[in-house]
Amino acid sequence: MNVMTKEPIIKANNLYTLPELGYSYDALEPHIDAKTMEIHHTKHHQAYINNLKGALEKHSDYKPGSLDEIISDLSRVPEDIRTAVRNNGGGHYNHSFFWPLLKTGVAFEGDIADAIKAKYGSYEEFQKKFSTAAAGQFGSGWGWLVVSGGELEIMSTANQDNPLSQGKMPVLGVDVWEHAYYLKYQNRRPDYLQAFFNIINWQKVNEHFLKAVK
Ligand code: MN
């Protein structure tokens, strides 16, 4: 579906605002520790916003729409700032998408649960495939569950790339940059991914899914 018809994650008039998490830094303990959440949100996410602003300010003639529109068609971004916008706009988008996906104690249910079971056979099989893809992303990047051509698909992207740039609609994403887990898990990315499955806000994933298949 066309991203323009969807409520944007980051609106054009709000490009440079750090979104609130909507929960406290220790809300995801013990799965993700408070210190990691605080640094991740206030330092890493903020830095992407600052750098995006710095890049876009070099082009006062370029009037971007929502961040969703920018990420969906990077070819419209002026060439000399395209890489900076891809990396930092992507970072801003991905983290803004990520925070609301995290919550403890949300049941795996709804249309998304039915679709996952239909596609992958079981929750366990989905978890295995998703975790393998995310763990196998070489270096920094993200693991994703997306809707592509009306079908669920598991994929990963490098750096701060987002599936939207490939015409795919993300419904679930996990940050596998070391800054997302190193304080608590050090080099054990698979342990972090296992913990991640305890804090997926399936209600939010379901919202993304319903919009993507509409
Ligand atoms: Mn991150």
Side-chain angles (χ1 to χ4, degrees):
M1 75 173 271
N2 188 335
V3 66
M4 311 280 280
T5 62
K6 191 168 166 277
E7 178 75 2
I9 298 280
I10 299 292
K11 298 187 178 80
N13 62 359
N14 223 9
L15 272 185
Y16 308 129
T17 306
L18 181 67
E20 299 281 338
L21 288 187
Y23 46 82
S24 61
Y25 289 125
D26 64 2
L28 306 171
E29 294 265 11
H31 308 292
I32 302 182
D33 60 288
K35 193 71 186 165
T36 294
M37 288 302 295
E38 183 180 354
I39 296 171
H40 202 171
H41 183 236
T42 62
K43 305 294 185 197
H44 291 279
H45 189 166
Q46 184 66 56
Y48 294 119
I49 295 171
N50 297 346
N51 293 333
L52 173 66
K53 188 164 187 259
L56 291 177
E57 279 175 352
K58 289 183 191 151
H59 267 279
S60 52
D61 54 316
Y62 171 59
K63 297 273 181 256
S66 67
L67 189 55
D68 306 53
E69 289 174 40
I70 298 171
I71 300 300
S72 297
D73 188 1
L74 288 164
S75 71
R76 292 170 63 185
V77 179
E79 201 174 354
D80 60 313
I81 59 166
R82 194 174 298 153
T83 299
V85 170
R86 176 178 177 175
N87 291 335
N88 295 290
H92 183 16
Y93 186 94
N94 290 344
H95 290 85
S96 302
F97 184 82
F98 185 51
W99 308 130
L101 293 173
L102 307 179
K103 192 175 182 178
T104 56
V106 181
F108 177 69
E109 61 186 16
D111 289 10
I112 183 61
D114 295 341
I116 282 174
K117 284 183 266 186
K119 175 86 181 187
Y120 300 104
S122 66
Y123 174 85
E124 290 73 21
E125 195 57 29
F126 165 70
Q127 179 176 0
K128 200 192 309 180
K129 287 196 163 75
F130 183 90
S131 300
T132 299
Q137 169 60 41
F138 183 76
S140 297
W142 290 74
W144 301 100
L145 178 66
V146 303
V147 172
S148 175
E151 288 281 315
L152 287 176
E153 182 184 317
I154 290 167
M155 61 182 289
S156 64
T157 57
N159 304 316
Q160 294 296 352
D161 287 350
N162 186 284
L164 279 176
S165 306
Q166 302 174 40
K168 300 166 191 277
M169 302 292 298
V171 299
L172 173 65
V174 63
D175 188 345
V176 294
W177 284 59
E178 283 186 345
H179 68 226
Y181 60 85
Y182 203 85
L183 283 183
K184 183 176 172 76
Y185 297 98
Q186 291 81 51
N187 61 329
R188 303 187 308 278
R189 189 189 285 183
D191 290 357
Y192 159 70
L193 287 166
Q194 193 160 1
F196 171 71
F197 269 81
N198 294 311
I199 50 167
I200 297 175
N201 183 349
W202 287 108
Q203 208 175 325
K204 181 55 76 176
V205 180
N206 198 44
E207 284 173 28
H208 291 306
F209 175 69
L210 292 177
K211 285 177 192 161
V213 296
K214 202 159 56 181

